[in-house]
């Protein structure tokens, strides 16, 4: 039986190869990403801690590089694990493709991390919303300047790999999940203003192109979502490549954010010990998705042969090499606990939709418990939250200023896009606000801060400033 041609190497528009070109399509995708301005800007965007606090910890760029290294490590492990299964080996992504997907996965995140994402979603709530992963798809397929209108003109499989949530904003949003906006808007609480996990409605045409060679029943099921009362609706499925990238992302931010937090003394050995001592069984019907019971953790630790006391001793020994060695050991343990399992799709005929990479359950519990420690001790700390509140104010007030007088305040290249939207277009107002949103989303932390000061602070800014 001849396998169906899904056109995974096809591009949005025809792309002729250069003279004496020897690269594969995946190598070309990889090259276009690492040479893109959106990728370079990641070096000046927040991962967890704000830039300027230290020159040691991770940025979005170094995080993306680490995700790529772990992602290709997972692929190579799976090749070895399933070396006797030709069908599984055949469907695994090429190393360059996996690198490209992982390096691209955070391109759409705005300045100031998830605080910036919430801020832009507040500004765009009535105009199609904002979600960082959806913006990644937009950058790759439209905004990056490799082509006039088609971004880096990526391959179909690359776009499928970065399509983390195959549901548009208009389907995923549940207005009951949002709180009423405060006045001024930046005072609104962050959690009730988080966007749904989705792609942006502007990218429906691109997503239809990505999925156009799937069987109709397959496409319909792949884009299904779960309805949840008083919460945004969640997509049910993802592709194989996406599942590998997400695992690499989970491993990276859980362990590497822990490493940064320990190095900067934001988490201590006492914090480590008390965190695991206080993990208790939650009451039934009150259990949240990220809660982990002590009983479940103990079972998982026994199964994985991980010793929290020994791990803690190495992490907090005071010597960098012991901490680094322990982090490396944990990364390896999680990589080598990845399996291929059914995606759960009943109508899947395409191999990339039939299978997902998953972390063996016992290791998943341990990884989630480590991430929960970082969330509780660092991300939810008052010092981090106070800074996030300030950054949210910067983004929202930047948007309000630029949107109030775009013809005077937008830079020339952005203004040209703005003016190309005709006044009598049906969605003129929505499209123009999206242009302003795109401009802010592409800013680095420092650029956004300096532009804010230039507009709002009387003693800051000059006509000769280079932002």
């Amino acid at each position: 039986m001849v396998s169906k041609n899904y056109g995974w190497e096809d591009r949005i528009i025809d792309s002729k190869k250069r003279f004496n070109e020897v690269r594969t399509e995946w190598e070309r995708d990889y090259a276009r990403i690492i040479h893109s301005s959106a990728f370079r800007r990641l070096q000046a965007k927040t991962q967890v801690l704000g830039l300027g606090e230290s020159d040691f910890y991770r940025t979005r760029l170094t995080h993306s590089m680490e995700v790529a290294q772990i992602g290709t490590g997972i692929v190579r492990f799976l090749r070895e694990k399933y070396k006797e299964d030709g069908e599984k080996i055949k469907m695994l992504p090429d190393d360059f493709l996996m690198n490209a997907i992982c390096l691209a996965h955070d391109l759409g995140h705005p300045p100031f991390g998830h605080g910036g994402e919430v801020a832009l979603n507040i500004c765009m709530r009535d105009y199609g919303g904002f979600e960082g992963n959806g913006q990644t798809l937009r950058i790759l397929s439209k905004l990056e300047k490799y082509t006039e209108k088609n971004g880096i003109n990526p391959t179909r499989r690359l776009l499928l790999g970065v399509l983390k949530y195959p549901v548009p904003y208009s389907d995923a949003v549940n207005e009951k999940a949002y709180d009423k906006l405060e006045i001024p808007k930046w005072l609104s609480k962050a959690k009730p203003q988080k966007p749904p996990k989705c792609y942006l409605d502007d990218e429906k045409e691109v997503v239809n192109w990505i999925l156009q060679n799937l069987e109709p029943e397959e496409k319909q099921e792949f884009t299904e979502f779960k309805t949840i009362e008083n919460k945004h609706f969640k997509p049910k499925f993802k592709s194989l490549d996406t599942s590998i990238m997400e695992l690499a992302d989970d491993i990276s931010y859980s362990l590497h954010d822990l490493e940064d937090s320990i190095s900067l003394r934001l988490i201590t050995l006492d914090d480590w010990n008390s965190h695991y001592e206080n993990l208790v069984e939650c009451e039934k019907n009150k259990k949240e998705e990220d809660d982990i019971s002590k009983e479940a953790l103990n079972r998982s630790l026994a199964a994985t042969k991980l010793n929290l006391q020994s791990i803690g001793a190495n992490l907090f020994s005071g010597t960098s090499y012991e901490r680094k060695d322990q982090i490396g050991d944990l990364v390896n343990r999680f990589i080598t606990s990845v399996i291929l399992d059914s995606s759960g799709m009943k109508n899947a005929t395409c191999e990339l939709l039939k299978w997902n990479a998953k972390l063996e359950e016992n290791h998943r519990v341990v990884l989630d418990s480590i991430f929960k420690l970082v969330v509780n001790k660092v991300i939810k700390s008052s010092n981090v939250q106070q800074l996030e509140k300030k950054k949210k104010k910067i983004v929202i007030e930047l948007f309000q200023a630029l949107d109030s007088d775009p013809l005077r305040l937008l830079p020339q290249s952005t203004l040209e896009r703005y003016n190309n939207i005709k006044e009598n277009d049906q969605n003129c107002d929505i499209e123009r606000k999206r242009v302003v949103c795109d401009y802010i989303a592409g800013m680095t932390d420092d650029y956004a801060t300096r532009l804010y000061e230039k507009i709002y602070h009387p003693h800051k800014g000059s006509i000769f400033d280079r932002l």
Side-chain angles (χ1 to χ4, degrees):
M1 180 178 177
V2 178
S3 60
K4 181 176 178 179
N5 179 14
Y6 289 94
W8 296 126
E9 296 186 16
D10 293 349
R11 298 184 183 276
I12 300 173
I13 56 175
D14 289 339
S15 178
K16 293 181 180 179
K17 290 194 174 185
R18 301 188 189 280
F19 177 70
N20 281 342
E21 179 67 82
V22 295
R23 297 173 298 172
T24 66
E25 294 303 324
W26 318 130
E27 289 176 275
R28 296 174 77 196
D29 276 343
Y30 171 78
R32 291 178 187 187
I33 288 168
I34 64 171
H35 290 292
S36 68
S37 56
F39 182 68
R40 290 195 300 276
R41 290 191 191 106
L42 295 180
Q43 67 187 303
K45 290 194 177 188
T46 293
Q47 173 61 13
V48 173
L49 304 169
L51 297 169
E53 303 285 343
S54 166
D55 60 0
F56 169 79
Y57 55 71
R58 274 105 178 153
T59 65
R60 286 277 175 188
L61 180 67
T62 57
H63 164 70
S64 297
M65 293 168 67
E66 288 169 337
V67 172
Q69 184 272 323
I70 293 172
T72 52
I74 291 173
V75 171
R76 291 177 181 179
F77 170 73
L78 291 174
R79 285 198 196 112
E80 181 63 26
K81 183 179 179 69
Y82 296 99
K83 61 184 177 183
E84 304 300 327
D85 190 331
E87 288 300 313
K88 287 189 174 70
I89 292 293
K90 187 177 179 181
M91 71 179 178
L92 288 171
D94 173 90
D95 284 358
F96 274 101
L97 173 62
M98 196 70 248
N99 264 297
I101 291 169
C102 291
L103 291 176
H105 87 283
D106 265 354
L107 290 181
H109 278 270
F112 313 126
H114 289 289
E117 180 182 48
V118 170
L120 282 178
N121 189 53
I122 287 173
C123 296
M124 294 295 292
R125 235 177 72 171
D126 297 327
Y127 306 97
F130 179 85
E131 204 276 341
N133 298 287
Q135 189 72 6
T136 294
L137 187 68
R138 185 166 171 79
I139 288 169
L140 292 172
S141 63
K142 287 185 179 177
L143 300 180
E144 186 58 45
K145 300 303 182 185
Y146 189 89
T147 62
E148 183 181 3
K149 295 180 180 179
N150 299 102
I152 70 165
N153 191 28
T155 59
R156 195 189 309 271
R157 185 161 176 177
L158 174 69
L159 288 178
L160 180 67
V162 299
L163 183 63
K164 290 181 70 171
Y165 310 115
V167 176
Y169 180 89
S170 55
D171 287 343
V173 68
N174 181 0
E175 292 297 333
K176 293 180 180 179
Y178 286 136
D179 274 359
K180 183 179 178 181
L181 288 172
E182 299 290 340
I183 301 297
K185 289 182 178 180
W186 66 268
L187 288 176
S188 302
K189 292 181 179 178
K191 189 173 182 179
Q193 305 301 335
K194 286 185 176 180
K197 302 299 185 184
C198 62
Y199 66 85
L200 304 174
D201 282 33
D202 293 346
E203 312 316 306
K204 284 184 178 180
E205 185 178 343
V206 171
V207 173
N208 285 334
W209 178 80
I210 297 170
L211 307 179
Q212 73 179 18
N213 293 327
L214 300 179
E215 297 297 329
E217 299 84 0
E218 187 176 34
K219 179 180 177 181
Q220 181 177 351
E221 185 180 11
F222 183 62
T223 56
E224 287 178 356
F225 52 90
K226 304 173 189 174
T227 57
I228 309 169
E229 188 176 1
N230 297 325
K231 291 187 178 182
H232 294 305
F233 306 143
K234 293 183 68 174
K236 290 183 178 181
F237 303 108
K238 60 179 73 75
S239 74
L240 170 67
D241 297 348
T242 309
S243 70
I244 297 172
M245 176 266 286
E246 283 196 318
L247 276 181
D249 193 23
D250 290 350
I251 294 169
S252 178
Y253 66 62
S254 296
L255 297 180
H256 294 145
D257 290 352
L258 173 67
E259 183 182 10
D260 281 357
S261 300
I262 293 171
S263 299
L264 295 171
R265 296 175 183 166
L266 299 175
I267 294 178
T268 66
L269 181 57
D270 286 343
D271 294 329
W272 174 271
N273 290 332
S274 62
H275 171 72
Y276 288 103
E277 288 170 2
N278 293 331
L279 281 175
V280 294
E281 193 75 50
C282 297
E283 294 179 40
K284 288 183 178 179
N285 303 324
K286 292 184 180 179
K287 187 172 182 180
E288 297 185 4
E289 291 179 17
D290 61 347
D291 282 330
I292 304 158
S293 72
K294 191 172 183 178
E295 181 184 348
L297 179 62
N298 285 335
R299 286 198 305 268
S300 297
L301 288 168
T304 58
K305 297 180 181 179
L306 285 168
N307 185 309
L308 286 176
Q309 188 173 5
S310 174
I311 292 171
N314 291 331
L315 289 174
F316 297 92
S317 67
T319 62
S320 297
Y321 69 87
E322 286 182 295
R323 180 171 60 245
K324 179 63 71 176
D325 184 62
Q326 181 62 74
I327 292 291
D329 180 69
L330 287 170
V331 170
N332 178 70
R333 282 174 179 266
F334 291 124
I335 288 176
T336 55
S337 300
V338 176
I339 60 173
L340 290 176
D341 196 8
S342 170
S343 67
M345 282 186 60
K346 297 178 180 178
N347 296 309
T349 59
C350 171
E351 295 294 326
L352 295 185
L353 304 189
K354 280 184 181 180
W355 300 94
N356 277 177
K358 299 178 182 179
L359 200 58
E360 185 273 330
E361 184 59 30
N362 290 319
H363 284 83
R364 178 86 259 179
V365 170
V366 176
L367 185 66
D368 289 347
S369 73
I370 292 173
F371 176 62
K372 190 174 182 181
L373 170 63
V374 176
V375 170
N376 289 340
K377 297 304 298 183
V378 181
I379 296 174
K380 288 185 177 179
S381 71
S382 60
N383 285 336
V384 171
Q385 291 301 310
Q386 287 163 8
L387 289 173
E388 187 169 294
K389 192 80 170 181
K390 179 173 72 173
K391 303 307 184 183
K392 188 171 72 169
K393 181 178 191 287
I394 290 174
V395 172
I396 289 175
E397 293 190 347
L398 261 183
F399 186 97
Q400 291 171 333
L402 297 171
D403 186 51
S404 70
D405 201 351
L407 300 185
R408 293 176 63 206
L409 300 179
L410 290 178
Q412 186 61 37
S413 60
T414 305
L415 186 58
E416 287 175 7
R417 285 185 57 217
Y418 189 93
N419 286 331
N420 283 337
I421 300 167
K422 306 302 180 185
E423 285 280 357
N424 57 356
D425 284 358
Q426 184 178 0
N427 297 316
C428 171
D429 193 33
I430 294 175
E431 291 177 16
R432 285 184 167 178
K433 288 187 187 305
R434 182 64 64 190
V435 171
V436 175
C437 180
D438 287 339
Y439 174 47
I440 296 175
M443 294 179 183
T444 63
D445 294 14
D446 190 50
Y447 184 103
T449 301
R450 284 185 284 125
L451 180 60
Y452 180 87
E453 291 174 344
K454 186 174 183 179
I455 293 174
Y456 283 102
H457 291 189
H459 300 294
K460 290 279 189 177
S462 160
I463 61 171
F464 299 107
D465 283 349
R466 292 179 62 89
L467 295 176

